[in-house]
Amino acid sequence: MHDAWELYRGAGMEALWRRCLGHLDLAVEQTMAIQHRMLAEQLRLLDASELGRRLFGTAHPEHIDDLREIVPLTTYEDYAWALAERRSDVLPAKPYTWLRTSGRELGGERWYPVSEAQYEQLRWLSMGMALAATARDRGHIALTDRTRLLNFMPPPPYISGLLTRAIEDMWPVRSYPPRDLDGGDFHERNRVAVRQALEGGVDLVASLAAVMPRIGDAIGQQQSGGSASAMLRRPRTTARVAAARASAFAAARAVYPRDLWRIQGAVTGGVDSSLFRDRIRTMWGREPLDTLANTEAGVIGFQAWDYTSMTLVPYLNFYEFLPDDEGGRERDDPTYRPRTVLLDGLEAGRNYELVVTNLLGGPVVRFRTGDIVRVTSMGNANIGSSQPQIVHYGRTGNLVEIGGFVRLSATLIGEAIAAAGIPTAGWSARKEVEGNDPIVHVRLEPTFGAPPAHEARRLLDEQLGRIDANWADMAEIAGLHPLRVTYLPEGSFERYAASRNGRSGLRPVANGRDSGVCEVNPDDGAIRELMIAGGAAES
């Protein structure tokens, strides 16, 4: 327990820094040597497992060139036979735990194993994120044995919750809320956490980026006025709130969390984190440390103390990168086998889809994460790193992902529309931004018997929550209600198709329920032409 704290006490700052953030100091050549060595070890584990034999057949790959020749790029569907059923017996290593990932597979939840070796590495990387979020410069350690952690992360089986709990295991933090509330109502957990933090103070915050502004609003509404509540009977809480109200009154605004606490750092994540950065800084008084992580790859990368771009972590995955023009060739020719580049082949200013092969006993090989990263530079002088620097640019176009909670496919959306009892001649759905918030905008051409548009929105929202628990969790945890529904006039899709004169555009997507025209994430031009064809204005 508290391994990072014991390392710090016994060996000092440099040892702790090197163990948690040493990857920032590696040259590209050193990183590639680590990548190739760990991949060779992983291939030996896979070769001895049933999962590996299914992927490799009679081949026995030993390095990346072998792997590229033998295994095409994969998705979760290639592993569903084992992972959806949580079959530990076929894996290359025994799972330490199972995590639930967004989306659904074969009518059930999508699960992913974390090996003991992977979790051990995740523990140190979690500490690295906490150190980077609170450091003022290289080598600065702001955390103490009295550090207070305000935890708004969803608890396990989400990856974000696992990472936060790892910090608690590695360092003697006082954490709000306590672990025994993990299985309870998320809003109640947050209320308890804030009540405890008002009494005890806060140094570090961990939260999905989409959650922090909404919790900040809720705190402000609760503390900006009205009579003292029961939780203000404690002297330290009363004094803290009184000072915060005075500060907010002088600034002629509501109480912000920064009026209540002087936090030293905030660790955030989520696919839409850039949308919330300014609001987090304004409300909480600190620049949030952005991270890139997902269930299948664990921690991919995170920012350093300069809060600009991210450096990739080389210990959990072997990385391949699919250039944007290769993805385009694949879309034009489904038989084309796209070519990837490795870390030492990246070019600044280009976008790549991230492809990972798990290390340390993880299950996936040449797995398409769907994450698009942009290489901003081939080093970062601010932190003294010569590693390629990345930012999270977005997601591939066949999924609608919101706030790091949900990934909606055409199949899932079509299933929800059918289950909601909304007969349609066609629909499109895409992620858009409304104000500062990401939304899912469904444009739908109803047919006879369809309910009114406002009712359709309610029914569709209800069915999305029934089909995908992550959709319901998003509303519960982040307070996000991102669904928008626009009804199109009769004949809109037919007139749209005629206006294209054979050119590509919105196309049918087979989903087993609806053979009409439907599309996920169509581009601006396609939507504009669809709306013109329907003679409809945006709502």
Side-chain angles (χ1 to χ4, degrees), residues 105-380:
E105 183 61 34
L106 303 176
E109 303 294 346
R110 293 173 62 151
W111 291 93
Y112 182 83
V114 177
S115 73
E116 293 182 4
Q118 285 178 307
Y119 180 65
E120 177 65 14
Q121 189 59 250
L122 285 170
R123 294 170 72 227
W124 291 100
L125 290 172
S126 297
M127 275 307 306
M129 290 186 284
L131 292 173
T134 53
R136 298 298 179 267
D137 203 345
R138 174 180 295 276
H140 176 233
I141 306 290
L143 303 178
T144 71
D145 60 347
R146 296 179 298 278
T147 292
R148 298 154 297 184
L149 170 64
L150 183 54
N151 177 17
F152 295 132
M153 287 293 188
Y158 286 103
I159 178 69
S160 51
L162 184 70
L163 295 174
T164 311
R165 291 312 184 202
I167 296 174
E168 297 174 4
D169 289 341
M170 295 291 280
W171 198 266
V173 298
R174 186 191 311 170
S175 186
Y176 316 125
R179 287 193 185 196
D180 57 11
L181 294 182
D182 272 1
D185 175 80
F186 189 78
H187 293 300
E188 179 58 27
R189 288 179 71 247
N190 288 345
R191 282 192 288 271
V192 171
V194 170
R195 185 166 65 245
Q196 292 175 332
L198 286 172
E199 178 70 9
V202 176
D203 300 300
L204 177 64
V205 180
S207 175
L208 292 177
V211 174
M212 282 189 75
R214 295 178 182 275
I215 291 179
D217 284 335
I219 291 172
Q221 292 169 8
Q222 186 178 41
Q223 307 302 338
S224 289
S227 60
S229 66
M231 75 175 181
L232 300 183
R233 293 171 187 164
R234 297 178 179 179
R236 284 187 295 181
T237 299
T238 303
R240 188 187 302 277
V241 173
R245 287 179 174 176
S247 177
F249 179 79
R253 56 165 171 77
V255 172
Y256 286 162
R258 76 182 197 213
D259 301 316
L260 295 162
W261 306 293
R262 298 292 185 266
I263 67 171
Q264 298 180 45
V267 179
T268 63
V271 71
D272 297 307
S273 58
S274 62
L275 296 176
F276 305 103
R277 174 171 290 275
D278 289 345
R279 293 161 68 190
I280 292 171
R281 186 193 309 112
T282 297
M283 299 180 76
W284 290 84
R286 284 288 297 172
E287 192 81 26
L289 187 91
D290 201 9
T291 64
L292 178 56
N294 62 39
T295 309
E296 297 89 356
V299 176
I300 297 167
F302 51 91
Q303 293 175 326
W305 50 92
D306 67 333
Y307 301 99
T308 56
S309 48
M310 290 185 263
T311 306
L312 289 162
V313 172
Y315 311 120
L316 286 169
N317 302 280
F318 187 94
Y319 297 112
E320 298 177 66
F321 302 85
L322 184 62
D324 47 9
D325 55 350
E326 286 289 301
R329 293 180 66 179
E330 181 188 32
R331 287 189 295 273
D332 295 337
D333 178 9
T335 65
Y336 178 72
R337 189 163 176 171
R339 294 174 294 182
T340 60
V341 300
L342 304 184
L343 184 69
D344 55 359
L346 295 176
E347 298 177 36
R350 294 199 62 179
N351 293 347
Y352 302 86
E353 181 183 352
L354 192 62
V355 175
V356 300
T357 296
N358 289 158
L359 304 173
L360 301 174
V364 301
V365 176
R366 307 201 72 209
F367 180 84
R368 301 183 75 154
T369 65
D371 289 299
I372 305 296
V373 298
R374 183 172 184 83
V375 179
T376 57
S377 65
M378 301 310 293
N380 184 345

Side-chain angles (χ1 to χ4, degrees), residues 436-457:
N436 290 314
D437 295 324
I439 65 169
V440 181
H441 196 156
V442 177
R443 294 170 175 86
L444 186 150
E445 181 184 332
T447 57
F448 180 78
H454 69 276
E455 180 67 5
R457 180 181 182 277

